Amino acid sequence: NLIGRVIVLHDITTEQALLRAETRRSQQLFLLEQAGRHIAGSFDVQEILQRAVDAITQQFGYPETAISLLTKDNMLEIAVIVGTEDFSYKPGYRQELGTGIIGYTANIKKTYVAGNVSQDPHYYSTSTKSGSAICTPILKRGELYGVLYVESFELNAFNKLDIVTLETLASQISEAIQRAELYAQNQNDLRTLRTIQDISRLIASSLLS
């Protein structure tokens, strides 16, 4: 006859944390592999930037992912922006160096993380928000080219692995852009060479006639 029951409780908090960490690590590795493959397949700078931010948003579902580029007049201009939310920022939006997290990151040329944007001294927005953000510079031959910005609604959403992931992605973007510019230069050189050859044939033909 049943005289009682024994209930055994097991704390799986640690196991759950490890599982979440491993899942996120897998997502980050997949992001780098996917983004690296997609941007390496393009020789168009705008397309490279768009594919990079699309890959981040598709993988993690962040409300905002953007890349701003340094202009000739030392402004930062949004080149591409995507996300699950509309924050009213569009391509072409410009801000000064030193303004906001994006401008601050551009100044220090180092990755900057805001665990709580509502309390961050550098955060700039047209509306009150809560969440966190990470911003990393995109360098080309050691010089600032632009910045990659990601925002999350979750507080303290970004850790050291996220920093490494975005810095690696920024390097991939820089390398892809340099390949695209080299390809464009080679195409221009080939067109110039063909033009010279055509002119040379015309001159030779006129001399023989």
Side-chain angles (χ1 to χ4, degrees):
N1 294 325
L2 181 66
I3 60 172
R5 289 183 173 85
V6 176
I7 299 176
V8 179
L9 300 178
H10 177 58
D11 186 0
I12 60 171
T13 303
T14 301
E15 287 85 347
Q16 288 179 328
L18 290 173
L19 178 60
R20 286 194 298 269
E22 185 59 30
T23 300
R24 188 167 181 81
R25 180 174 177 273
S26 297
Q27 289 177 318
Q28 290 167 329
L29 290 174
F30 181 76
L31 167 66
L32 292 177
E33 188 275 333
Q34 182 189 47
R37 184 177 67 252
H38 286 177
I39 65 179
S42 175
F43 291 108
D44 180 81
V45 172
Q46 187 69 19
E47 187 176 43
I48 289 170
L49 301 178
Q50 188 66 57
R51 288 182 178 184
V53 295
D54 285 343
I56 295 173
T57 300
Q58 290 167 9
Q59 188 62 27
F60 294 103
Y62 289 127
E64 183 178 2
T65 304
I67 293 178
S68 296
L69 302 182
L70 184 66
T71 65
K72 292 181 180 180
D73 56 349
N74 281 330
M75 297 286 287
L76 289 164
E77 181 176 315
I78 294 179
V80 290
I81 182 169
V82 295
T84 59
E85 302 291 329
D86 185 1
F87 287 163
S88 300
Y89 294 109
K90 305 295 180 184
Y93 177 82
R94 291 158 60 95
Q95 60 189 90
E96 297 179 353
L97 288 175
T99 302
I101 290 177
I102 290 174
Y104 180 70
T105 300
N107 268 348
I108 64 175
K109 295 183 182 179
K110 293 180 181 179
T111 300
Y112 182 80
V113 179
N116 185 347
V117 295
S118 66
Q119 298 177 2
D120 188 86
H122 303 292
Y123 186 71
Y124 169 80
S125 175
T126 56
S127 61
T128 303
K129 301 177 191 173
S130 63
S132 52
I134 182 171
C135 191
T136 192
I138 301 173
L139 304 177
K140 191 173 70 172
R141 301 183 187 90
E143 298 297 324
L144 181 70
Y145 180 78
V147 292
L148 170 60
Y149 177 83
V150 179
E151 189 167 331
S152 171
F153 284 143
E154 180 184 346
L155 294 175
N156 301 308
F158 305 103
N159 56 28
K160 291 182 180 179
L161 189 55
D162 291 301
I163 294 174
V164 173
T165 300
L166 284 190
E167 287 179 345
T168 302
L169 180 56
S171 296
Q172 290 179 334
I173 293 171
S174 176
E175 291 170 3
I177 289 172
Q178 291 181 66
R179 284 196 302 271
E181 291 178 345
L182 181 60
Y183 175 80
Q185 183 60 51
N186 287 338
Q187 292 300 107
N188 287 333
D189 292 344
L190 286 173
R191 283 192 290 270
T192 300
L193 180 59
R194 283 195 291 268
T195 300
I196 293 174
Q197 290 174 336
D198 290 342
I199 293 174
S200 296
R201 281 194 291 269
L202 287 173
I203 293 174
S205 175
S206 64
L207 290 177
L208 293 175
S209 58

